[in-house]
Amino acid sequence: MQGKKPFQDKRLASFRLSERVPRDNFYRRLKAIMDVEWLYEATQKYYGREGHKSLDPVVFFKLILIGYLENLLSDRRIIQTVSLRLDLLYFIGYSLDEPLPWHSTISRTRQLLGEEVFKELFKRVLRQCVQQGMVKGKRQALDSVHVKANASMDSLKEKEIVQDGEAYAGELGEDAEDEEQTEKQTVSVFKHQQVQWHHGWKRKAYKGRPSGGWRARFVSNHTHYSTTDGDARVAVKPGKPRQLNYLGQLSVDTAHHVITCIQADYASKKDSQCLPSLLRHTIDNVKAVGLKVKEVLCDAGYSSSEALKALKQYRVTGYIPNFGQYKPTREGFRYFAGGDYYQCSRGVRLPFKRIKDSHDGTYQMRVYRSSSLDCRNCPLRKTCIGKSDFKKIEDTVDKPLYDEMHLRLQTRKAKRMKRLRQATVEPVIGTLVNFLGMRRVNTRGIQLANKCLLMAAVCYNLKRLLKWMGEAEGKGEKTLGQLLVMLYWLPVLYSRRGEQIQTSLSYAC
């Protein structure tokens, strides 16, 4: 007989929310291991003593965690989702008949609380992972990812052209913050001409190719800024459209893939420019839990003189492939460190002449040059120097650091470290972007973006911590079961062993 279940909207006389949430529910287990009582004291200074009561800071952070754990990129959707699920209500400590906070309260509280509170929460979760034996601290894998900003390319506006940005700000008598804001909205004549020349070259180079629109091709952070989010920067990756992004930098422990540091930076920066700051914060976080960083693994994007100097300063061994322009040797030339000169195969010397800045002014180079008299009658002149009168070789002033890294990368260990880096940090980034709400930020400003990235990392570490503790409990139950089985079969094994010994004695007799 076919059954039919009619719905009756009844008012229940007795209902206990804790009894309706299963014991093995994820959020029930998460609530049991989270220590959040310290938040009341840490956030006390942000509230006054009079007026309406604010949103409970513990509830606020739990709502934020739910947003990242459920991959919800909107505060409005967080409240809607929580209102429909019993386990989420139990996690934040609300009953069925209690009204949930308004979604705009989450945004205002995120702006109110300082960045140090979010960092302290991240460090406390990291300390829990260390106590469970999940973090070794010795070896860290570093990488970056573009995080979409909460701004559209249509919000870009061309900067005002001024003769001298510093003099312009000084004449107005602005303070430091106003001067920084002015620099974001102005550009010098020289820099504007450089960008226009580059755009002219691109118009000729891409002539006849399918166009993606002028905005996608001929905009630059030097000449344009976003009126919606002034900290967002135009960035592009091969195969992806140009858009306003932030640059997320993170460090992952290679032992069990726990995030030890994460920070937001401007998308216009290179990875190598961000490495000193990321390395310093990683060392501080790991040192705070009683561990020490000894090795870092990076890709070639982190290679620069500034980055190698930072590694040497903190006494950390790095495995970073040198950037593409680096040359360990010069074909047909040999360098003599004692006299600081190059010598070609014909015996002509190229002594050191001077130090000059690179074309973009980011680093300095040592110039070695031969005499025009020595190269005048050289049979290799056309293939060596072409139409020039002399041979010139330019090396960065920090070439010894690059040479040291080049020799280290030739070892077997360096090849293992490369595979280890790819297997460690890249899956973590994929999980954060695709499943933990780090595809984009729903805030504006680099400080709020940093808070968003910190909370995404907290959620990732909490999930790994719960999985680790669950596996440990499973191993404990398995070990207990194996012990019971051994106790059951032990008398049988001893009896069989005794029979074998008795049979062997009888044969011997």
Side-chain angles (χ1 to χ4, degrees):
M1 180 178 177
Q2 184 184 32
K4 185 176 181 180
K5 175 65 176 65
F7 172 72
Q8 297 180 357
D9 192 7
K10 297 181 179 180
R11 185 182 297 274
L12 299 178
S14 63
F15 179 85
R16 190 181 294 274
L17 184 60
S18 59
E19 296 177 355
R20 304 299 300 175
V21 180
R23 296 292 177 184
D24 59 346
N25 179 266
F26 174 83
Y27 288 98
R28 190 181 191 111
R29 294 168 55 208
L30 181 59
K31 185 176 182 178
I33 68 168
M34 283 190 64
D35 178 22
V36 289
E37 293 299 321
W38 61 272
L39 284 170
Y40 293 111
E41 183 179 356
T43 59
Q44 183 67 38
K45 61 182 180 180
Y46 297 102
Y47 300 98
R49 296 183 179 180
E50 299 177 354
H52 295 286
K53 288 187 178 181
S54 67
L55 174 64
D56 189 327
V58 172
V59 175
F60 162 74
F61 277 99
K62 287 185 176 182
L63 288 172
I64 295 297
L65 289 175
I66 290 173
Y68 288 102
L69 290 170
E70 298 294 327
N71 203 13
L72 305 174
L73 303 179
S74 167
D75 296 337
R76 190 187 299 269
R77 289 190 61 193
I78 293 175
I79 300 300
Q80 292 175 350
T81 304
V82 171
S83 65
L84 298 174
R85 288 178 52 176
L86 298 180
D87 56 344
L88 299 183
L89 288 173
Y90 176 74
F91 177 64
I92 66 175
Y94 273 64
S95 301
L96 290 177
D97 56 346
E98 286 187 272
L100 292 172
W102 194 247
H103 64 85
S104 61
T105 310
I106 301 178
S107 302
R108 291 196 298 267
T109 307
R110 186 189 291 110
Q111 297 176 13
L112 172 67
L113 300 182
E115 191 176 353
E116 67 276 3
V117 181
F118 293 80
K119 291 182 178 179
E120 180 63 24
L121 177 61
F122 174 81
K123 292 178 181 179
R124 285 178 178 264
V125 175
L126 178 61
R127 187 176 294 110
Q128 285 184 278
C129 295
V130 173
Q131 292 172 354
Q132 293 292 328
M134 299 174 60
V135 181
K136 302 300 181 184
K138 175 184 176 181
R139 187 178 295 115
Q140 305 294 320
L142 279 56
D143 208 343
S144 65
V145 59
H146 278 157
V147 182
K148 189 179 184 307
N150 188 17
S152 170
M153 293 287 287
D154 293 330
S155 67
L156 290 179
K157 183 179 179 181
E158 193 168 358
K159 292 182 179 181
E160 181 182 357
I161 304 175
V162 296
Q163 294 295 332
D164 191 341
E166 296 180 358
Y168 179 77
E171 291 174 0
L172 296 178
E174 298 171 337
D175 56 15
E177 294 183 359
D178 293 337
E179 184 176 349
E180 182 181 356
Q181 185 67 21
T182 302
E183 289 179 356
K184 292 180 180 179
Q185 300 179 5
T186 59
V187 61
S188 65
V189 176
F190 177 71
K191 178 59 70 173
H192 187 269
Q193 290 176 349
Q194 280 187 321
V195 175
Q196 293 304 318
W197 177 88
H198 182 66
H199 287 172
W201 169 83
K202 290 176 70 175
R203 288 188 182 93
K204 295 179 181 179
Y206 293 114
K207 186 177 181 179
R209 298 186 184 182
S211 174
W214 71 271
R215 189 176 298 279
R217 179 168 299 165
F218 301 119
V219 291
S220 170
N221 291 311
H222 297 295
T223 58
H224 293 77
Y225 71 98
S226 172
T227 56
T228 304
D229 187 352
D231 292 334
R233 297 290 185 269
V234 179
V236 65
K237 279 192 173 183
K240 294 185 179 181
R242 183 168 300 193
Q243 59 186 10
L244 291 168
N245 291 332
Y246 285 100
L247 186 62
Q249 296 281 347
L250 70 158
S251 174
V252 182
D253 190 82
T254 59
H256 297 286
H257 299 191
V258 175
I259 300 175
T260 55
C261 184
I262 190 168
Q263 63 184 34
D265 218 320
Y266 297 104
S268 56
K269 281 189 175 182
K270 298 179 181 178
D271 289 340
S272 57
Q273 294 175 305
C274 303
L275 187 138
S277 174
L278 179 62
L279 181 61
R280 183 178 71 255
H281 293 153
T282 302
I283 292 175
D284 293 341
N285 290 347
V286 173
K287 185 178 180 180
V289 294
L291 301 175
K292 184 178 181 181
V293 178
K294 296 183 179 179
E295 297 177 347
V296 294
L297 318 177
C298 310
D299 58 18
Y302 288 89
S303 176
S304 70
S305 299
E306 184 181 4
L308 297 180
K309 289 178 181 178
L311 293 176
K312 190 173 183 179
Q313 176 186 353
Y314 293 109
R315 298 180 181 179
V316 175
T317 302
Y319 292 89
I320 309 175
N322 290 322
F323 65 96
Q325 295 181 353
Y326 166 76
K327 296 180 181 180
T329 58
R330 303 281 182 167
E331 185 178 357
F333 292 86
R334 182 181 176 187
Y335 178 71
F336 293 87
D340 193 16
Y341 65 89
Y342 278 91
Q343 183 174 329
C344 72
S345 57
R346 296 183 60 252
V348 176
R349 289 190 177 186
L350 284 73
F352 168 72
K353 293 295 184 180
R354 62 189 178 95
I355 294 179
K356 73 169 189 177
D357 294 332
S358 60
H359 66 282
D360 54 0
T362 56
Y363 59 94
Q364 292 184 320
M365 307 181 68
R366 298 176 65 87
V367 180
Y368 299 86
R369 197 184 71 183
S370 66
S371 171
S372 58
L373 297 177
D374 295 333
C375 298
R376 178 182 300 174
N377 300 321
C378 178
L380 304 176
R381 178 186 176 91
K382 290 185 178 180
T383 58
C384 183
I385 60 177
K387 296 181 179 180
S388 178
D389 295 332
F390 51 84
K391 176 66 177 179
K392 183 172 68 173
I393 295 178
E394 296 178 345
D395 285 331
T396 173
V397 294
D398 300 308
K399 190 174 186 297
L401 297 176
Y402 290 99
D403 292 338
E404 181 182 353
M405 183 63 68
H406 176 74
L407 293 176
R408 186 181 300 134
L409 293 175
Q410 307 308 311
T411 61
R412 282 187 173 183
K413 183 178 179 180
K415 297 179 181 179
R416 294 199 308 269
M417 294 299 101
K418 179 182 178 181
R419 294 192 295 267
L420 180 61
R421 185 198 66 82
Q422 294 173 343
T424 300
V425 67
E426 292 181 4
V428 174
I429 290 179
T431 302
L432 289 171
V433 172
N434 296 315
F435 303 106
L436 293 179
M438 216 178 79
R439 183 172 68 255
R440 61 181 292 269
V441 294
N442 60 346
T443 59
R444 291 171 182 171
I446 193 168
Q447 291 185 352
L448 291 176
N450 196 39
K451 296 177 183 179
C452 293
L453 267 59
L454 283 168
M455 293 305 296
V458 167
C459 291
Y460 179 87
N461 287 346
L462 284 174
K463 289 190 70 173
R464 292 208 62 86
L465 178 61
L466 280 176
K467 183 178 180 182
W468 178 272
M469 296 175 66
E471 292 177 352
E473 292 176 0
K475 291 179 181 179
E477 294 176 358
K478 184 177 180 181
T479 304
L480 180 60
Q482 292 176 346
L483 180 60
L484 293 175
V485 170
M486 290 179 61
L487 292 176
Y488 175 80
W489 285 103
L490 196 60
V492 179
L493 293 174
Y494 271 110
S495 62
R496 290 181 178 178
R497 182 63 177 172
E499 293 176 359
Q500 293 177 358
I501 293 174
Q502 187 176 2
T503 304
S504 300
L505 290 175
S506 61
Y507 278 117
C509 296

